[in-house]
Amino acid sequence: MLRRLPSLRWLVAGLACSNLALGLLQSASPVIVVDNFGRSSADVGTLWSVAAATTLLAITCCRLALSRVDLWGVGVVCATFASAACLALPQAPSYAAYMVLIALFMAGDGGLTVVLRTLRSLVIPATAFGTTLSLTMLLLLLPFPVAGILVAVTPPTHLDTVVLCCAAVQAVALAITFARLRHEPTLRASAHGVLPNEPSATPR
């Protein structure tokens, strides 16, 4: 089924690359916060608590925006926020700046999640929804163990370089994704009244 849905296939591919960056940041942030900024492990928890709150706010805003803007427009804005924040993270001069950039990245990522879920609700036939949803979730979860392995084999002093490389991959992947989907009718149509019919606990 995924092969017959090019719009969904491209979006899943782009977000898989974005998940690699997300997994890398989640795995590397304890080392970066403690070693680079001299903060405590409690500050790592604060960092992700702020990011989680920002994500929830972004998801709410994106749901509201979809009543006025098409999926492609919302997706491009969210992808831009996520990519720009991730590219800037290795140059963050302080813990406060790092926290703000992580929050912006997570806000963009949360918005992309809304776009993906809404698109799935629009294009996947009811008869194939369960199997296609399972496949997309599996593909989107695969980058997380890869990110964990990358952090495990990378010396702490080189983590910023790895983050920058993954951020570049994410930015290119999302740019190609939304360039290919620019004229996709499903993403250009209004999503007003369409709510993702998936459990909110799912990662994507």
Side-chain angles (χ1 to χ4, degrees), residues 32-33 36-37 39 47 89-101:
I32 293 173
V33 169
N36 290 11
F37 299 122
R39 308 297 290 235
L47 170 78
L89 274 168
Q91 287 78 43
S94 65
Y95 171 75
Y98 188 81
M99 180 186 294
V100 170
L101 290 171

Side-chain angles (χ1 to χ4, degrees), residues 107-145:
D109 187 74
L112 289 172
T113 299
V114 174
V115 172
L116 173 64
R117 290 184 174 187
T118 306
L119 180 64
R120 284 192 298 215
S121 297
L122 288 169
V123 303
I124 302 176
T127 54
F129 191 84
T131 55
T132 309
L133 174 61
S134 299
L135 177 59
T136 60
M137 289 179 62
L138 176 62
L139 293 174
L140 290 168
L141 287 173
L142 286 177
F144 288 101

Side-chain angles (χ1 to χ4, degrees), residues 8-204:
L8 184 61
R9 186 171 67 245
W10 273 104
L11 192 55
V12 167
L15 292 183
C17 294
S18 187
N19 273 359
L20 178 63
L22 172 60
L24 187 66
L25 291 176
Q26 289 178 332
S27 301
S29 60
V31 178
I32 293 173
V33 169
V34 173
D35 290 358
N36 290 11
F37 299 122
R39 308 297 290 235
S40 69
S41 56
D43 291 317
V44 179
T46 301
L47 170 78
W48 288 107
S49 295
V50 171
T54 306
T55 302
L56 291 175
L57 179 61
I59 288 173
T60 301
C61 291
C62 286
R63 283 177 174 269
L64 295 173
L66 286 176
S67 63
R68 299 185 177 183
V69 184
D70 57 37
L71 280 172
W72 189 87
V74 172
V76 166
V77 171
C78 293
T80 301
F81 269 99
S83 299
C86 197
L87 285 168
L89 274 168
Q91 287 78 43
S94 65
Y95 171 75
Y98 188 81
M99 180 186 294
V100 170
L101 290 171
I102 287 285
L104 289 175
F105 171 82
M106 292 299 294
D109 187 74
L112 289 172
T113 299
V114 174
V115 172
L116 173 64
R117 290 184 174 187
T118 306
L119 180 64
R120 284 192 298 215
S121 297
L122 288 169
V123 303
I124 302 176
T127 54
F129 191 84
T131 55
T132 309
L133 174 61
S134 299
L135 177 59
T136 60
M137 289 179 62
L138 176 62
L139 293 174
L140 290 168
L141 287 173
L142 286 177
F144 288 101
V146 175
I149 293 171
L150 278 175
V151 172
V153 301
T154 302
T157 53
H158 292 91
L159 278 177
D160 282 343
T161 302
V162 175
V163 170
L164 182 60
C165 290
C166 283
V169 170
Q170 176 204 29
V172 171
L174 289 176
I176 292 173
T177 294
F178 284 99
R180 292 297 297 263
L181 296 176
R182 184 178 181 84
H183 301 295
E184 175 61 38
T186 307
L187 273 84
R188 281 300 189 178
S190 172
H192 178 64
V194 178
L195 294 176
N197 55 346
E198 307 169 29
S200 60
T202 55
R204 284 286 189 184

